[in-house]
Amino acid sequence: MSVDESNNVKTRLQVHNCVVQPLLTDLYQITMAYAYWKSEKTSDTAVFDLFFRQNPFQGEFTIFGGLEECLRFLENFSYSDSDIEYLKTALPPTIEQSFFGYLKELTAKDVKLYAIDEGSVVFPRVPLIRVEGPLIVVQLLETTLLTLVNFSSLMATNAARYRMAAGDNVSLLEFGLRRAQGPDGGLSASKYAYIGGFDGTSNLLAGKMFNIPVKGTHAHAYITSFSNPSELKTKTLINLNNGKEQDLIDLTLSWRTTLSNLLHISESQASDGELAALVSFAIAFPEGFVALIDTYDVNKSGILNFCAVALALNDLGYKAIGVRIDSGDLAYLSNKSRETFIKVANEYNIPWFANLTIIASNDINEETIWSLNDQKHSIDCFGIGTHLVTCQRQPALGCVYKLVEVNGTPRIKLSQDGSKITMPGKKDAFRLYGADGINIQDSIFL
């Protein structure tokens, strides 16, 4: 894609981070630019390849991310007056003043960027992006393009691995903002988890900026903030069957007594504070009631209180959504919860009750999901945070940006480390498919 020919890019791309600008780079990019300028190489052209050498997580593939942000960076590439003033203080006083005038006029209008589609499966050594243009300009792009692609691709790949582990029939929600490496890390993680196959995020800003579905329930703090039903100021809910207000607490308490016999759970062991919290939340969100049930004890309190509230809502014409379990043996507790839902559904002839959603969270990683699969869990949705957004198994992808051509002449970097020897010259990458539509290999042609 030629930046100056992409007239609609500016309107399509969503601003992500205002710090993505020309000064988001390494000092040596500017010192090289000055040395190039001093050597009168302002008319030289160059080609750079951006690629990686190994798939992350000891895996067999990578998902390419970050292209949209790269395009926005190129579209807006220019040095502001304050940038120039700062560079005058950061660079040696021997720098000729006319160089700063040259920088002030630089844009990426003569840069052409060729790239694989964002979200594609990609492999080592194949250029993700080929950048062509004036030598000084395309050199100045290096660090910024790398920082935009490295984490994005790593994050999307990590998310795709979670999707493969969970399978197609389980929902995945990204819950990692509070554990991410700063606000930008959290925002990027939400965006690229979605690209990598997640179904939604808890991050409201990511939802607003990138149109990602947002999901969430409530915290343990909400449950522990209540002591008993008597403290509730709002106790009633409109009955959708007759339009009249009805006391949800009374209905719930009646159902809890009935269910305690059916489920063989002592009503005296169930937390009244938890019941009050769930009733309060159900009144606030009667058509989207999802409850956290592990604050005290899932089997002795949480599941009983939830079912009582859910059945009370059902009497008033509402359908609860499900539960979230955030601690304990997730396979065992999910199976016990599913057994309970099925038992209640059969007992009271409420078929949908058997299929209530069970969400699991609690520091879940890829290995956890594979283990839960082996244990035949009953989880419908995973909420995943820390291990997803921090990419704990591998903190960096290792993309590089290498010069492969100057003024039409191929260039090569040699090294005693064979993996660091570059492939010279301008290249085109092609993906070859068999007659069955399955890709066979990627090929690079000079």
Side-chain angles (χ1 to χ4, degrees):
M1 171 181 288
S2 175
V3 173
D4 60 332
E5 293 175 355
S6 302
N7 296 323
N8 64 339
V9 167
K10 188 178 295 185
T11 57
R12 285 192 301 106
L13 301 184
Q14 171 63 57
V15 175
H16 180 170
N17 194 324
C18 63
V19 303
V20 179
Q21 53 186 284
L23 286 193
L24 185 66
T25 191
D26 297 308
L27 173 63
Y28 84 164
Q29 306 292 2
I30 302 293
T31 58
M32 281 192 290
Y34 178 66
Y36 284 142
W37 179 84
K38 215 30 197 167
S39 301
E40 299 184 5
K41 296 176 76 67
T42 56
S43 297
D44 287 11
T45 60
V47 178
F48 281 83
D49 286 342
L50 190 154
F51 61 94
F52 61 94
R53 297 186 177 105
Q54 285 186 314
N55 287 314
F57 312 113
Q58 299 180 330
E60 297 178 347
F61 69 92
T62 300
I63 303 296
F64 175 37
L67 177 60
E68 182 181 37
E69 294 296 328
C70 291
L71 293 175
R72 173 162 289 280
F73 171 59
L74 292 178
E75 183 70 28
N76 297 292
F77 182 90
S78 66
Y79 291 94
S80 67
D81 291 337
S82 62
D83 291 341
I84 297 300
E85 290 307 309
Y86 171 73
L87 287 173
K88 289 179 179 179
T89 67
L91 293 171
T94 55
I95 299 290
E96 296 178 34
Q97 291 302 299
S98 53
F99 171 67
F100 296 110
Y102 169 78
L103 281 184
K104 185 66 177 68
E105 299 302 317
L106 278 186
T107 69
K109 66 182 180 62
D110 295 320
V111 173
K112 291 184 178 181
L113 184 150
Y114 300 85
I116 295 172
D117 289 339
E118 185 162 10
S120 296
V121 175
V122 292
F123 301 98
R125 313 295 297 190
V126 176
L128 308 178
I129 297 174
R130 187 177 83 219
V131 184
E132 301 178 11
L135 171 61
I136 295 178
V137 179
V138 293
Q139 180 69 71
L140 287 168
L141 301 176
E142 175 183 6
T143 301
T144 315
L145 294 182
L146 285 172
T147 197
L148 291 174
V149 171
N150 262 310
F151 180 70
S152 303
S153 299
L154 184 73
M155 184 65 223
T157 306
N158 201 26
R161 293 178 63 89
Y162 278 88
R163 167 51 66 199
M164 291 173 65
D168 295 335
N169 297 322
V170 174
S171 296
L172 294 176
L173 301 177
E174 178 270 312
F175 284 174
L177 177 59
R178 63 186 60 194
R179 302 288 174 80
Q181 279 96 341
D184 181 56
L187 197 58
S188 295
S190 299
K191 177 179 181 179
Y192 293 104
Y194 190 58
I195 288 176
F198 271 57
D199 299 291
T201 179
S202 64
N203 186 340
L204 280 172
L205 183 57
K208 176 185 177 183
M209 292 180 67
F210 309 124
N211 199 30
I212 301 172
V214 290
K215 305 289 183 180
T217 54
H218 54 80
H220 291 107
Y222 188 83
I223 302 295
T224 58
S225 71
F226 291 84
S227 298
N228 59 71
S230 64
E231 69 186 81
L232 294 184
K233 300 293 190 290
T234 302
K235 303 179 180 181
T236 61
L237 191 62
I238 296 294
N239 188 324
L240 296 181
N241 300 310
N242 55 28
K244 297 180 180 179
E245 286 199 2
Q246 195 160 342
D247 192 313
L248 188 62
I249 292 178
D250 286 347
L251 263 180
T252 299
L253 288 171
S254 175
W255 271 115
R256 189 169 74 167
T257 299
T258 301
L259 286 170
S260 67
N261 296 320
L262 174 68
L263 303 178
H264 306 294
I265 300 173
S266 172
E267 193 173 3
S268 63
Q269 294 187 66
S271 167
D272 288 340
E274 180 181 57
L275 182 75
L278 297 190
V279 169
S280 170
F281 204 72
I283 290 173
F285 301 98
E287 295 180 338
F289 180 55
V290 180
L292 184 63
I293 62 170
D294 71 304
T295 302
Y296 301 112
D297 188 300
V298 172
N299 289 331
K300 294 180 180 180
S301 180
I303 196 67
L304 176 62
N305 282 333
F306 168 78
C307 288
V309 176
L311 287 172
L313 284 174
N314 180 68
D315 287 346
L316 303 184
Y318 303 95
K319 289 185 179 181
I321 302 298
V323 300
R324 178 164 72 95
I325 304 170
D326 191 50
S327 62
D329 186 332
L330 297 179
Y332 167 73
L333 292 174
S334 70
N335 287 331
K336 288 292 291 183
S337 297
R338 181 66 66 207
E339 289 174 10
T340 299
F341 297 155
I342 292 172
K343 189 171 187 178
V344 170
N346 292 336
E347 179 71 18
Y348 301 108
N349 193 27
I350 310 173
W352 60 265
F353 210 95
N355 299 314
L356 284 165
T357 298
I358 299 174
I359 305 167
S361 46
N362 186 32
D363 213 25
I364 292 169
N365 59 33
E366 186 182 335
E367 288 72 22
T368 303
I369 296 177
W370 287 116
S371 175
L372 288 168
N373 291 343
D374 291 339
Q375 297 175 66
K376 308 299 182 185
H377 67 79
S378 296
I379 297 165
D380 302 295
C381 175
F382 289 107
I384 304 173
T386 305
H387 291 276
L388 172 68
V389 304
T390 62
C391 298
Q392 288 189 355
R393 290 182 58 197
Q394 182 173 326
L397 176 57
C399 285
V400 293
Y401 185 83
K402 295 300 181 183
L403 178 67
V404 296
E405 184 178 289
V406 174
N407 296 328
T409 302
R411 299 301 169 101
I412 186 171
K413 176 192 179 297
L414 298 176
S415 174
Q416 291 183 340
D417 182 346
S419 67
K420 293 192 174 183
I421 297 175
T422 60
M423 291 185 287
K426 184 190 298 187
K427 296 171 283 292
D428 289 312
F430 296 90
R431 180 156 294 169
L432 306 181
Y433 293 85
D436 56 3
I438 298 176
N439 60 292
I440 300 171
Q441 67 178 39
D442 286 358
S443 296
I444 299 174
F445 295 88
L446 294 174

